[in-house]
Amino acid sequence: MRRLIPAGLLCALGLVGCQTLAAGKAVPASVDMSDPQTVSRLKAALAPVIGRANIEFGPSAAAQTTLLGVLPPPLGPLETHSTAVPTIFDVVLKDGKCLAVRHDTRAETELKGVTCRPVQD
């Protein structure tokens, strides 16, 4: 009976190892926010994820950015304050696909038609 426990443990670890090797590693990437077509495609890809038809990106420090901040909806006519915060996404390359990874849920969304470039450390 004692020999079955180590054998079972090794088998389980082997299966977990196979799964982690099969999945591609996400590499930080950047997108060109100075290109209007890229911005349009980003909005089209992220609007369904956010749950709004019209979204706006917050300002970024550079035209080539690795973070996308989607601003909350604007205040209504009777509102003076809001506690809403931007929704933040990391831009990554994984298995040859450009993805946006949402910070709060870690959900991945493919950015179809968007060119990502890997970021050099």
Side-chain angles (χ1 to χ4, degrees), residues 73-119:
L75 296 174
L78 302 177
E79 296 177 299
T80 58
H81 297 80
S82 174
T83 58
V85 295
T87 304
I88 307 297
F89 294 87
D90 287 315
V91 180
V92 298
L93 277 171
K94 184 176 178 183
D95 297 328
K97 296 179 183 176
C98 185
L99 303 173
V101 181
R102 190 170 170 160
H103 270 212
D104 55 354
T105 64
R106 304 308 299 164
E108 297 177 350
T109 302
E110 185 176 353
L111 302 173
K112 294 182 180 177
V114 175
T115 301
C116 291
R117 291 183 175 75
V119 175

Side-chain angles (χ1 to χ4, degrees), residues 9 25 28 30 40 42-43 50 52 61 66 69 75 87 89 94 103 107 110 112-113 119 121:
L9 183 59
K25 184 178 179 195
S30 67
S40 176
L42 287 169
K43 287 181 178 183
I50 298 295
R52 296 193 322 260
T66 60
L75 296 174
T87 304
F89 294 87
K94 184 176 178 183
H103 270 212
E110 185 176 353
K112 294 182 180 177
V119 175
D121 289 335

